[in-house]
């Protein structure tokens, strides 16, 4: 005989006064679905889109609508949503490429599809973006170079001796400084003012209160001869400049620094020996001298 009392269960009671409290309450039910089967179907449809370089926006919209059928399987729906997001990114870039002409917008589109998994459409769009970005960089460089050459030529003709006397490095420094802001149209008056300001910086070197202060001021100037020196050599040259203070203008200062460095390098090559008479005899390494000769008096 079967013992029904051993089965798990619960007892039900009839409704009496509680029945009135249940009025107005409605229940809905959803059809039970195999979410794995729904996922497999969506996966196949998404795979078709991911392996094609043609846009299928209507199909993607249908997949997004059908994906709402997955409710319980969180991991499955998250994967589908991620892949749908990737396709939407690719489609957005595809549409935007034809109307995008600035480097910043190109960089934004490249960042937009960077997280997308590798697929034919991503490879196609990435290659096109890289080509467009490279072309824009070349064009920007050419425009900047043309602006530099144009302003330099105009300044040499019209800015006067103040600009000419800066030397090649000083002139390039002034022109490049005026072209930093692309929104400002540089004029000859601006070139002349910038040249005056630069020469004023050279004059203010005389007011340096210490070797350290002089070094800081020298570093701020476009001095090719000084920039190429080591830190130790810069200190030696600055010490000599502090004692000399005879330069006039940027070009003169650059030439003087070059001469001081050459002199210092030459002196390091001297060998001091004693002659047969016990006196000091100095042997010069002639190859280190500019003329390659020694003049005797």
């Amino acid at each position: 005989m079967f013992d029904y009392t051993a089965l798990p269960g619960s007892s039900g009671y009839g409704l009496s006064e509680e029945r009135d409290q249940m009025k107005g309450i409605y229940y809905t039910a959803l059809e039970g679905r195999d979410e794995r089967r729904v996922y497999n179907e969506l996966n196949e449809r998404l795979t078709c889109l991911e392996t094609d370089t043609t846009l299928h926006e209507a199909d993607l919209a249908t997949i997004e609508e059908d994906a709402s059928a997955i409710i319980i399987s969180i991991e499955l729906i998250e994967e589908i949503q991620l892949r749908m997001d990737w396709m939407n990114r690719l489609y957005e870039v595809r549409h935007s490429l034809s109307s995008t002409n600035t480097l910043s917008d190109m960089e934004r589109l490249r960042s937009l599809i960077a997280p997308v998994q590798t697929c034919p459409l991503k490879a196609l769009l990435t290659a096109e973006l890289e080509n467009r970005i490279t072309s824009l960089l070349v064009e920007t460089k050419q425009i900047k170079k043309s602006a530099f050459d144009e302003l330099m030529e105009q300044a040499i003709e019209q800015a006067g001796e103040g600009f000419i006397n800066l030397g090649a490095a000083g002139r390039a420094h002034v022109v490049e400084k005026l072209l930093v802001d692309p929104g400002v149209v540089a004029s000859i008056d601006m070139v002349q003012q910038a040249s005056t300001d630069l020469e004023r910086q050279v004059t203010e070197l005389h007011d340096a209160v210490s070797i350290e202060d002089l070094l800081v001021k020298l570093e701020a100037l476009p001095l090719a001869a000084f920039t190429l020196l080591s830190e130790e050599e810069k200190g030696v040259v600055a010490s000599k400049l502090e004692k000399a203070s005879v330069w006039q203008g940027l070009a003169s200062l650059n030439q003087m620094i070059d001469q001081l460095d050459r002199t210092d390098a030459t002196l390091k090559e001297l060998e001091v020996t004693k002659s047969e008479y016990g006196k000091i005899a100095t042997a010069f390494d002639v190859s280190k001298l500019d003329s390659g000769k020694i003049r005797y008096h």
Side-chain angles (χ1 to χ4, degrees), residues 91-288:
Y91 287 5
E92 179 182 346
V93 171
R94 187 60 161 174
H95 283 301
S96 301
L97 259 177
S98 59
S99 59
T100 302
N101 299 309
T102 66
L103 189 59
S104 59
D105 286 341
M106 289 289 181
E107 294 286 1
R108 183 187 66 81
L109 293 180
R110 182 164 63 176
S111 299
L112 188 63
I113 63 172
V116 176
Q117 68 177 348
T118 301
C119 64
L121 183 55
K122 180 184 178 180
L124 182 67
L125 294 176
T126 299
E128 187 171 348
L129 274 169
E130 294 300 330
N131 290 335
R132 295 280 296 278
I133 289 173
T134 301
S135 298
L136 284 173
L137 287 173
V138 172
E139 291 175 8
T140 302
K141 185 176 180 180
Q142 290 175 341
I143 292 172
K144 184 176 181 180
K145 182 179 180 181
S146 299
F148 177 89
D149 293 340
E150 183 178 349
L151 181 57
M152 178 65 76
E153 182 178 349
Q154 186 180 9
I156 290 176
E157 293 177 355
Q158 304 175 29
E161 293 184 0
F163 177 72
I164 299 297
N165 292 338
L166 291 175
R171 292 192 294 269
H173 175 79
V174 167
V175 172
E176 288 175 353
K177 184 177 180 181
L178 293 175
L179 293 175
V180 168
D181 188 350
V184 176
V185 179
S187 65
I188 295 300
D189 289 340
M190 294 170 66
V191 172
Q192 292 172 330
Q193 184 59 53
S195 301
T196 301
D197 293 342
L198 185 55
E199 290 290 27
R200 184 181 297 113
Q201 286 182 257
V202 177
T203 303
E204 290 174 353
L205 292 175
H206 296 290
D207 302 326
V209 296
S210 64
I211 294 294
E212 291 74 18
D213 185 29
L214 181 59
L215 282 169
V216 171
K217 287 180 167 60
L218 287 169
E219 292 283 7
L221 293 170
L223 296 164
F226 187 76
T227 304
L228 297 175
L229 300 178
S230 66
E231 293 302 316
E232 180 182 357
E233 291 169 336
K234 287 179 180 179
V236 173
V237 169
S239 178
K240 293 180 178 180
L241 286 175
E242 185 183 38
K243 297 175 183 178
S245 298
V246 293
W247 64 87
Q248 293 182 350
L250 182 69
S252 172
L253 176 60
N254 189 71
Q255 184 178 8
M256 184 175 181
I257 291 174
D258 184 56
Q259 291 175 344
L260 288 173
D261 179 52
R262 287 173 179 267
T263 301
D264 186 63
T266 301
L267 291 176
K268 289 179 180 179
E269 299 297 329
L270 299 181
E271 291 182 3
V272 180
T273 61
K274 287 189 177 181
S275 69
E276 57 180 324
Y277 302 105
K279 296 181 180 180
I280 297 297
T282 304
F284 292 87
D285 183 353
V286 180
S287 65
K288 299 297 181 180

Side-chain angles (χ1 to χ4, degrees), residues 33 38 42 45 58-70 77 80 84:
R33 296 181 180 179
V38 176
L42 294 176
R45 291 159 63 185
D59 293 339
L60 181 59
T62 303
I63 292 174
E64 291 176 336
E65 182 178 347
D66 294 344
S68 61
I70 301 179
I77 189 58
I80 294 296
M84 290 189 300

